[in-house]
Amino acid sequence: MKVAVVDYGMGNLHSVLKSAQAVNDIGAEIFLTSAPEAVLKADKVIFPGQGAMPDCMRELNQHGLAEAIRESTKNKPFFGICVGAQLLFEESEEGPTQGLGLFPGKVARFAAGLRDAEGERLKVPHMGWNQVFQTAVHPLFAGIADGERFYFVHSYHFAPADAGLTLAESEYPERFSCIVGRGNIFASQFHTEKSHRAGLQMMKNFLAWDGSV
C-alpha cells in the first residue's frame, strides 16, 4: 500500500512523515511527494499544512497539486491536517482567499476580545493543548477517549455550512468544529504530529482505515 504525504512546501512535512512511519505496522510505503501523478497513484493521501492559507493555496496551485487533491478526495482515504484541513473549504477570511471547495462553508477568524469563564482574556492564535469532544462515531477515534487532548496552533477555525460535517469539537471559549469529515475524508484542525500518544493513535487508525464509516 502506498501512502502519499503531499509536499507543497508548507507545513511540518517531515514531522508528519515521521509520525506516520512510527506507527506503520502494516508495511505501507509512506513517502513525501510534490508530484500530482504520485498523489493520484497513491492508495491513501495525507495532506498537511502550516502557515497562512493564502500562501498555502498559492503554493498548491504553483505545484499543480490542487486538482490532484480534489481527485484524490473522491475515492481514497484522505487525511487533512491543520491548514491542509482548512483548504478543503470554499473560502477563508484569511486573505480573503478561495479554498478547494470540497466542503461547503468557510474558515473564520476567532473573534476579538475572547474571554474564558473567569474573565481572563484569551489570546489569538489559540495555541496549546485542548480537549477534543467527539460528536460522531468514526473509525479514526478507535482507542482515543472522548475529551482527549490534542495540540492546536491556529487563529482561524472551520465554519462548515453543513453541521453534519463536524465529527468533533473543541472550546475556545465557545465550542467550535475541530474535526470534519465526510465519507472517505477526515480532517483535523489540530496537529496530530505534535499530539503525542493520541496523535499517533489517530494516525495509526488512518493507516488501517479503508475509507468507510
Side-chain angles (χ1 to χ4, degrees), residues 35-37 39-40 45 64-73 76 78:
E37 59 272 19
V39 174
L40 291 170
V45 174
L65 284 161
E67 197 52 44
I69 294 297
R70 290 190 182 97
E71 191 64 28
S72 294
T73 61
K76 62 185 71 175
F78 186 98

Side-chain angles (χ1 to χ4, degrees), residues 143-211:
I144 299 172
D146 188 24
E148 181 65 84
R149 292 181 179 273
F150 290 82
Y151 192 82
F152 291 80
V153 183
H154 63 125
S155 300
Y156 296 79
H157 62 89
F158 311 143
D162 178 359
L165 288 169
T166 297
L167 302 177
E169 298 175 330
S170 191
E171 295 178 346
Y172 200 70
E174 303 298 326
R175 287 221 171 186
F176 66 92
S177 176
C178 68
I179 300 179
V180 290
R182 181 175 60 201
N184 58 294
I185 306 172
F186 185 94
S188 69
Q189 177 60 68
F190 51 80
H191 289 271
T192 55
E193 76 280 6
K194 296 181 180 180
S195 296
H196 300 173
R197 187 209 66 81
L200 289 173
Q201 181 64 50
M202 188 166 282
M203 183 62 73
K204 182 176 181 178
N205 292 342
F206 173 73
L207 294 180
W209 186 37
D210 65 3

Side-chain angles (χ1 to χ4, degrees), residues 50-106:
Q50 183 171 295
M53 188 165 154
D55 295 337
C56 291
M57 195 68 205
R58 184 188 64 247
E59 292 297 317
L60 202 63
N61 286 324
Q62 288 181 351
H63 284 79
L65 284 161
E67 197 52 44
I69 294 297
R70 290 190 182 97
E71 191 64 28
S72 294
T73 61
K74 294 179 181 179
N75 56 11
K76 62 185 71 175
F78 186 98
F79 192 175
I81 300 172
C82 195
V83 179
Q86 293 181 352
L87 286 163
L88 301 179
F89 284 88
E90 294 172 311
E91 60 181 335
S92 173
E93 292 179 355
E94 187 176 17
T97 190
Q98 297 298 303
L100 292 168
L102 296 163
F103 287 159
K106 66 179 182 178

